[in-house]
Amino acid sequence: MALALGRAIQEGRNLLEPEAYELLASYGVSVPSHRLVSSAEEAEAAATEIGYPVVTKIVSPDILHKTEAGGVLLNLNDAASVKAAYGQITEHARQGKAAVRGVLISRMAPPGTEVIVGLTQDLQFGPVVMFGLGGIFVEVYQDASFRLIPLAERDAAAMIHEIKAFPLLQGVRGKKPADLEALTHLLLKVSQIAQENPEISEMDLNPVLVYEKGLSVVDARVLLHQRAPTA
């Protein structure tokens, strides 16, 4: 079992985002450079080390949807804005009575084609991998594909090709095509993670930014099957 999962299970909670990054990175999935900090001074030092621009995110077991809770600030370009962001989002969380485990400082990823990769549970068949383009394609048009785990390479490739918005991944209006090989690899990794870690009930990698070469998972949420703390 991955170390990140072990800590969360012991405390009877879901994975914090740094732990979700740790889990993904242990399977070779690309995530942004990041640091977990516990003071404004540490936040400034981490941003200098990682390189600007950065994003700050609240880390709390009580906050699942960070953006909606005012826990995310993007495109911070200097030390003063990073220190101010640290104070703003930690104060906001504490006003909401949330336990604060720190703030995640991540390198702001360059723009790319936004996609969603997820893991959910089918009541009859069990773990299912989901794939779709980001934004309105999933939210409004429900344009997504699903497969039971374990995925074979042909399954992952078919999931990518069968969504209605697939032509956008091939490149339109001068936009470069997305790296479909990297995307296929990511779907296979999510399937492998789910197969090897049955404690995971849901996974939401949203968004994943896909480039002409490679991709980056810039936000990750991993939920575990509910259980009581062991200590």
Side-chain angles (χ1 to χ4, degrees), residues 11-216:
E11 296 179 15
R13 58 170 172 78
N14 297 309
L15 264 63
L16 303 171
E17 187 164 10
E19 295 170 330
Y21 277 172
E22 179 185 331
L23 174 67
L24 292 168
S26 72
Y27 279 84
V29 175
S30 178
V31 299
S33 297
H34 61 278
R35 302 286 186 277
L36 178 63
V37 302
S38 56
S39 71
E41 290 71 27
E42 287 182 10
E44 177 187 354
T48 301
E49 181 184 356
I50 292 170
Y52 292 98
V54 297
V55 53
T56 57
K57 301 181 185 179
I58 194 70
V59 177
S60 168
D62 301 322
I63 300 176
L64 272 181
H65 302 286
K66 298 179 289 294
T67 300
E68 292 82 347
V72 179
L73 290 171
L74 306 174
N75 279 316
L76 305 174
N77 286 298
D78 55 52
S81 59
V82 169
K83 293 177 78 170
Y86 180 94
Q88 180 180 332
I89 64 174
T90 53
E91 179 59 26
H92 195 81
R94 290 187 175 110
Q95 287 177 358
K97 310 293 185 190
V100 176
R101 297 288 183 93
V103 169
L104 188 68
I105 310 295
S106 297
R107 181 68 186 264
M108 194 82 195
T113 302
E114 289 191 15
V115 304
I116 297 173
V117 176
L119 176 78
T120 187
Q121 299 288 326
D122 182 273
L123 291 176
Q124 185 172 0
F125 298 108
V128 175
V129 176
M130 183 276 281
F131 169 73
L133 241 60
I136 64 172
F137 292 98
V138 165
E139 294 174 9
V140 178
Y141 298 119
Q142 302 291 304
D143 183 19
S145 56
F146 299 85
R147 288 290 189 287
L148 294 171
I149 69 164
L151 294 183
E153 187 167 345
R154 64 178 179 280
D155 301 318
M159 289 179 69
I160 296 167
H161 282 76
E162 71 188 35
I163 63 170
K164 296 184 180 96
F166 174 70
L168 296 179
L169 292 170
Q170 295 178 297
V172 293
R173 295 186 177 181
K175 195 172 181 180
K176 300 289 187 183
D179 189 338
L180 301 185
E181 184 177 343
L183 207 44
T184 301
H185 181 74
L186 176 60
L187 292 174
L188 292 173
K189 285 298 178 184
V190 169
S191 172
Q192 182 185 357
I193 292 170
Q195 194 174 13
E196 295 179 358
N197 301 279
E199 301 85 1
I200 295 175
S201 62
E202 294 182 29
M203 192 181 307
D204 188 14
L205 311 182
N206 180 24
V208 177
L209 299 179
V210 190
Y211 305 109
E212 187 179 4
K213 293 291 183 186
L215 56 76
S216 183

